[in-house]
């Protein structure tokens, strides 16, 4: 149930930012997970910017080749493609 999951993911991210800080790898993972659940709920307007933030932070903190960075990059690309596919006139 995505509707019930979203507040839990939001709270987890807020808690991790508060306890671990914004740059901790677990916080970066929580940011990616929240963006993913937003996308799963069809809210790409919230998912895409959050994936973008997660990617920027992952690149800075973990580096280009880290598995989490690659996961976030793929998730962002998928969300953007899904969003662009929803535009009128796109096949």
């Amino acid at each position: 149930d995505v509707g019930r999951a979203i507040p839990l993911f939001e709270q987890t991210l807020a808690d991790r930012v508060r306890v671990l800080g914004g740059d901790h790898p677990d916080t970066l993972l929580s940011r990616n997970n929240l963006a993913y659940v937003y996308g799963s709920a069809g809210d790409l307007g919230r998912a895409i910017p959050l994936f973008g933030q997660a990617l920027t932070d992952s690149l800075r903190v973990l580096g280009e080749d880290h598995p989490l960075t690659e996961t976030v990059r793929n998730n962002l690309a998928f969300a953007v493609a899904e969003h662009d596919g929803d535009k009128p006139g796109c096949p």
Side-chain angles (χ1 to χ4, degrees):
D1 182 1
V2 175
R4 290 180 54 204
I6 289 174
L8 298 172
F9 279 103
E10 290 171 337
Q11 187 61 53
T12 299
L13 176 58
D15 290 346
R16 284 187 169 174
V17 168
R18 180 177 47 80
V19 173
L20 302 173
D23 289 341
H24 191 279
D26 289 344
T27 304
L28 301 176
L29 177 61
S30 287
R31 193 169 289 123
N32 173 75
N33 291 346
L34 178 57
Y36 188 88
V37 77
Y38 284 156
S40 295
D43 192 349
L44 296 173
R46 287 169 71 181
I48 291 171
L50 195 55
F51 277 133
Q53 179 187 358
L55 180 57
T56 298
D57 294 343
S58 293
L59 285 166
R60 180 176 44 79
V61 174
L62 303 172
E64 180 81 22
D65 297 326
H66 192 277
L68 180 56
T69 303
E70 293 176 5
T71 296
V72 175
R73 184 183 296 113
N74 288 335
N75 288 342
L76 175 59
F78 181 80
V80 168
E82 186 174 337
H83 178 269
D84 290 348
D86 287 343
K87 290 184 179 177
C90 292

